[in-house]
Amino acid sequence: MMRAKSWLLAAGLLLGVASGLAAQEVAGSVVDSRTGRGIEGARVAVQGAQNEARTDAAGRFRLTGVSGTSVVLSVTMIGYRPTTHEATVGRTDVRILIVEQAINLGEIVVTGTAGGAEKRTLGNSVTTVRAADVQEIAPAPDISNLINSRAPGVVVIPATGQIGAGPRIKIRGTNSFSLNDQPLIYIDGVRVANDVATGISVQGFGSGIASRLNDIDPDVIDRIEIIKGPAASTLYGTEAANGVVQIFTKRGQASEKPKIAASIRQGTSWFMNPEGRIREPVNMVNGQLVSWNPVKQEEELYKQGQVDRPLFTNGFGMGYGLNISGGTGAFRYFAGATYDDDNGIEPSNDQRRFTGNVNLSITPDEKYDIQGSFGFVKSRTNQAFEAGSGGIWFSTIFGDPAIVNTPNRGFLFGPPEYQWGFRQASQLVNRFTASITVNHRPTSWLSHRLTVGQDQTDEGTQQLNRYLPPEWIQFNPGIGRLGLKYDQRRTLSYLTFDYNANVNVKLSDKLGSTSTVGAQYYRRRSDLVWAQGEQFPAPDLETIAATAQTFGFDDYVENSTVGVFAQQQFAINDKLYLTGAVRIDNNSAFGEDFDFVTYPKVSASYVVAEGQTGTISALKLRAAYGQSGQQPESFAALRSYQPVTGGDGGPAVIPQFVGNPDLAPERSTELEMGFEGGLFDDLLAVDFNFYYQKTRDAILLQPLAPSTGFAGNQFVNIGAIRNVGIELQLSATPINSRNLTVRGDFNLSHNKNKVLDLGEGVEELGTFGPKVGYPVDAIFRRKAVSAELNSAGQAINVLCDDGNGGTTAACSSAPGVYLGVWDPTWEGSFSPTVTLWGRLRLYGLVDFKLGNRHFDNNLRALCQVFLRCDENFNPQNYDPLMIAELQSNNIMQSWVINDASFAKLRELSASYAFPQHIARYVGGSAATLTLSARNLHTWTNWTGLDPEAYFATQLFTRLEQDNTPQLASFMATLNITF
C-alpha cells in the first residue's frame, strides 16, 4: 500500500513538472501590420531575460524556458519600428504586428547599381513595388496592375479590357520622335522581351493587344524595382533612356521543413453599365427617327429563347497555384506553378495559361554562391476582333435601326452569332527564361559576379476566317465566304552576359571606397515566318495547306550591344556618398562611321538623420546627373535595295533606303534631385523627386533629294526634346495600435515636355506634326471658331482659327491649332489600408490621370461616316461650331478630340487571416481569404466608352474605336500555407 502511494506521488510530481514545463513557453508569429504577411528574420526577445529567437520563413517563433505568468516581448527587424507586446506565458498563438519604418535606408536594391547597394548610398531614385505584399492585399491579374499607380512617374496605359491584353508603359514622358517608348525589362538579371501590341494586326483586323510583360505570373514575383531615367540608368547604357524595370522572382528561405503554399481563385468580370455607355445609333424608319438599343434588344431575345446568349455576359475566371520552398543555409529552393483559365465578356475572348518557376540557391561556403532561375510560360489567348476589324463592337456601335427587322437584327455586318462564329484570332506562346548567377568573394575586400541567361519567346499568331455555312453567306457574299487563314510564327531571343567586380576598402576610419568595373553583352534576335492561305474549297477545313491560294515569307533581325563601365564611390562617415561612373557602348545598329558612345554619371547622397525621434526621424538628400541612350532601328543606318523582277524576267534590285553611315544613338541627359524622409516619429514618409531631362540627336526622317537616286526619306540625328517633372510619394500611418492600424499612401507626378529642335531652319513637321516649342505628343487640328446654320441645317459662313488668335475663311488651308496632348500631364493615386484586430484588412485604390485628350473615333464614325447621330437629323439643336466640323468631311476634327481625364475606383479588397486553429482543419498553418474588386466606377467627362481605350499599335495618338472597355471584376482568393 505504501509503495502504491509512493508511485502515485511520483507520478503526480512528474505531471506537475511536465505541466510547468509546457507552460514555460511562448510561441506565435510576427506579421507586417499592413499586409498580414509573416516577417522572416525578426528578433523576438523577452525583456529582462536572455530568451530570444528569430522568426522563420512564415514569421513564426518559439521561446522556451520562460518564467512567470506573463512577459513583455521585444521585436526588432531592419526596416520596421521596434515593438513591444505583452503575452501570457503558455500561449502558442501570439500574433505581433510590426509597422514598417517610414524610410528604410538600409534596404538593399539592385537596379541602377553595379551590384546590391543600400538605399542610403544612392544619389538617384529607385521605386520598389513589393509584389508579394500587393498580392496578399489585392491580388493583381497581371504585372501591369501591380505597377499601375504604385510608382509615381510611371504611366500605365491599357489599350483594351480584353482578357489577355497588355498595356504600354511610359516613364517620365516622351523622349523620342520615332523610337520605342518602352522601358527595358529584366527578370532575375536577364534582359527579356518587352514588346507591346503583339497579336493579330493583319488586313486592318485588330490592333494587336498582347504584351510580353503580362506573360509573367505576378504570384511568383517577390519585388519589382523601377528606375525612371538616364540619371539612374547610365550603367545600362544604350537602350535605357526609357527607364528600367527589374523583376525579382521569389526565393526559398532556410527552414526546418518545406513550406507549401496553395492558392485558389474564382471570380467574374463584366462590362459595367453597357446600356448607359454605348451611344444608341439613330435613323429614319418609316418617316420616324428611331433609336436602337442593341444591349436591351439581345437581352429580350435571350429571355424569349430566340438567341443563345445576351450581347455581353459575365466572364468566369479561375486560377490555381501551388509552390514549395525551403532548404538549409547551403541549399535553398523555390518551385511554383499556376494555371489560369479566364474568359471575357464575348465567347471569342479567353485565355488559358500555365506558368512554372524554379529558383535554386547553392552556397557551398562563405566565399561563393550560385543562384539559378528558370521560368516557363505556355498560353493561348483567343482575341475578340475590335479596333476597326469589323467585329461585334464595330457592328454594335455603328449599327442601324433601319435593319433591325432583317437577319442582321440591326448589327452592321451581321448578328453576334455570325461575328463570333465566322472568325477567330489567337496567339499561342511558349516562353522560357533562364539565368545563372555566380557570386564569388575570394577576399574580404574583393567580390565579383557573373550572370548568364536567355529569354526566348515563341509566338504563334493566327487568324482563321471559316468557310461560311449557307445561313451566313448573306452576311459576307462573294469570295470572302470561302474563308482564309493567316499564321505568323515569331521567335524572340534575348541573350545576356553580365559581369562586374567590386573592390571595397576602408581608407580610414572616416573614409570608405568602393571601386567597380563591369562589362555586358546583349543580343536580341527576332525570327519571323508567316504564311497565308485563301479560299477553302469546303467547310470544316482549317489549315493553310487546304486553301486554293497560298503565300509565304520569312526574315530575321538581329541586334547586339556590348558595353563596359567603371564606377567609383566614396563613403564619408557613412553619411555622405559620392559616386562617379562612365559607360562605353557599341551597338550593331550604329552607322559604320560611328564607333562607340560614352555615357557619364555622377551622384551624391547625404544622410542628414537616421533612427531619431521627434519631427525628423530620417532624412536623406540626393542628386544625380547621368546619360543613357537609345540605338536606332536595326537597319536604319544601312543602305538597302529592294528585290524586283527585271526586264528579262530574272531577279534584279532597285534602291530602297539610302541609309546613314553617321547615324548615332539618341542621347538622353538627366539631372535628378530629391529627398526622402521620415517625419513625426516615423508616422509620415515623404519621397520627392525633381528631374530635368533632355534628349539630343533625336532621330527624324528627312526628305531626300531626287539626285541621290534613292526615293523617300533618310534617318538623321537632328532633333531635341526636353522633359521636366516632379514626383511625390507619401505614406502615413496615423493610427497604429494592437486592434487598429490605419495607413494611407498617396502618389503624384507631373510631366511637361517640349520640342526644342527639329533641324536647322525647321519649325514644324507638317500641318499636324511636331512643332518646336510644343510638346512631342501635341495635338494639332483645324478648328472652327465661327459658323451659322441655314434653314436646312447646313453650316455656312464657317471660319477657322488661323493659329494666331484670328480667323481665316478657307478652313481647308487653315493651320493646325494646338488642342492639348495625348498623354496625361498629371497622374496619381490614393490608397488607404485599415487593419482590424491584426486579421482583417480593408484596402482601396483610386487612381487618376489628368490633362490629356483622346480621339473619339466612335463618335466621328457614327456621326460623320454612317450618319446615325441625332446631330445629323436635328442640327438646329446643337452648337453650330460642332455641326460645322461634323459636316466638314474631316477637314476639322476638334469636335472629336475630347477631354480624357479621369479618376477610377481601381481596387477594393477585404482580406481575413484565419486563426491557426481554423487553418489546421485543412492541415495548414495559415489561411487567408481575400475578396477583391476592380474598375468599379470611373469619374470622367470622356465622350466615348472608356478614357483608357485606344489602338495599342499607336505610338502617340490615343484613338478609341470599338475597343473593349476596362472590365469590372470580382475575385475571391483563398491562400493556404502548410
Side-chain angles (χ1 to χ4, degrees), residues 279-284 289-291 397 789-795 856 858-888 895-896 898 943-944:
R279 181 168 177 160
E280 297 184 12
V282 300
N283 207 345
M284 298 297 295
L289 187 63
V290 177
S291 64
I397 293 172
L789 296 182
N790 62 19
S791 58
Q794 296 296 314
D856 189 350
N858 287 334
L859 178 62
R860 185 199 68 82
L862 183 66
C863 299
Q864 199 171 62
V865 177
F866 297 106
L867 306 179
R868 293 187 190 130
C869 291
D870 185 67
E871 292 89 332
N872 301 119
F873 299 93
N874 297 298
Q876 68 279 359
N877 296 335
Y878 298 90
D879 184 351
L881 295 179
M882 189 271 284
I883 297 299
E885 294 203 0
L886 186 157
Q887 296 176 354
S888 73
W895 70 291
V896 290
N898 297 316
T943 53

Side-chain angles (χ1 to χ4, degrees), residues 577-595:
Y577 302 88
L578 304 174
T579 304
V582 63
R583 180 180 173 103
I584 301 173
D585 262 3
N586 201 352
N587 184 275
S588 58
F590 295 170
E592 61 180 352
D593 293 340
F594 183 87
D595 293 329

Side-chain angles (χ1 to χ4, degrees), residues 343-361:
N343 298 277
I345 59 175
E346 299 181 64
S348 55
N349 178 216
D350 57 62
Q351 183 180 60
R352 311 290 182 265
R353 182 179 67 180
F354 173 82
T355 62
N357 186 262
V358 177
N359 285 332
L360 302 175
S361 299

Side-chain angles (χ1 to χ4, degrees), residues 531-745:
Q532 183 169 328
E534 298 179 356
Q535 303 178 34
F536 292 110
D540 299 324
L541 299 175
E542 296 188 353
T543 65
I544 292 175
T547 58
Q549 298 180 12
T550 59
F551 314 89
F553 173 84
D554 81 303
D555 197 5
Y556 76 92
V557 178
E558 190 170 283
N559 179 267
S560 299
T561 299
V562 61
V564 296
F565 72 86
Q567 176 176 290
Q568 177 61 47
Q569 182 179 88
F570 292 105
I572 304 172
N573 290 327
D574 285 331
K575 285 185 172 294
L576 176 62
Y577 302 88
L578 304 174
T579 304
V582 63
R583 180 180 173 103
I584 301 173
D585 262 3
N586 201 352
N587 184 275
S588 58
F590 295 170
E592 61 180 352
D593 293 340
F594 183 87
D595 293 329
F596 57 84
V597 62
T598 302
Y599 302 113
K601 169 186 176 178
V602 293
S603 70
S605 169
Y606 181 60
V607 179
V608 179
E610 184 178 15
Q612 298 181 6
T613 58
T615 303
I616 300 177
S617 50
L619 178 63
K620 188 190 87 169
L621 308 178
R622 59 173 187 259
Y625 168 90
Q627 295 181 357
S628 62
Q630 189 168 191
Q631 84 276 10
E633 296 290 342
S634 294
F635 299 123
L638 299 178
R639 176 166 297 188
S640 59
Y641 297 85
Q642 180 178 356
V644 295
T645 302
D648 60 354
V653 294
I654 60 174
Q656 185 179 33
F657 299 113
V658 66
N660 181 356
D662 296 316
L663 195 62
E666 296 185 341
R667 180 190 293 264
S668 294
T669 302
E670 183 181 62
L671 173 65
E672 175 186 302
M673 297 182 293
F675 69 89
E676 49 201 281
L679 306 176
F680 312 117
D681 287 329
D682 267 348
L683 293 179
L684 176 66
V686 182
D687 193 325
F688 176 80
N689 229 37
F690 165 82
Y691 61 89
Y692 178 96
Q693 184 185 125
K694 182 178 178 180
T695 299
R696 55 188 176 88
D697 293 335
I699 296 174
L700 288 165
L701 279 173
Q702 190 177 68
L704 289 168
S707 59
T708 63
F710 285 80
N713 303 294
Q714 179 186 42
F715 287 104
V716 292
N717 298 102
I718 56 175
I721 301 169
R722 184 187 70 195
N723 278 277
V724 180
I726 59 170
E727 297 159 352
L728 175 66
Q729 193 166 22
L730 300 175
S731 297
T733 310
I735 302 175
N736 179 33
S737 65
R738 183 172 182 175
N739 294 324
L740 175 63
T741 300
V742 178
R743 172 174 170 144
D745 294 279

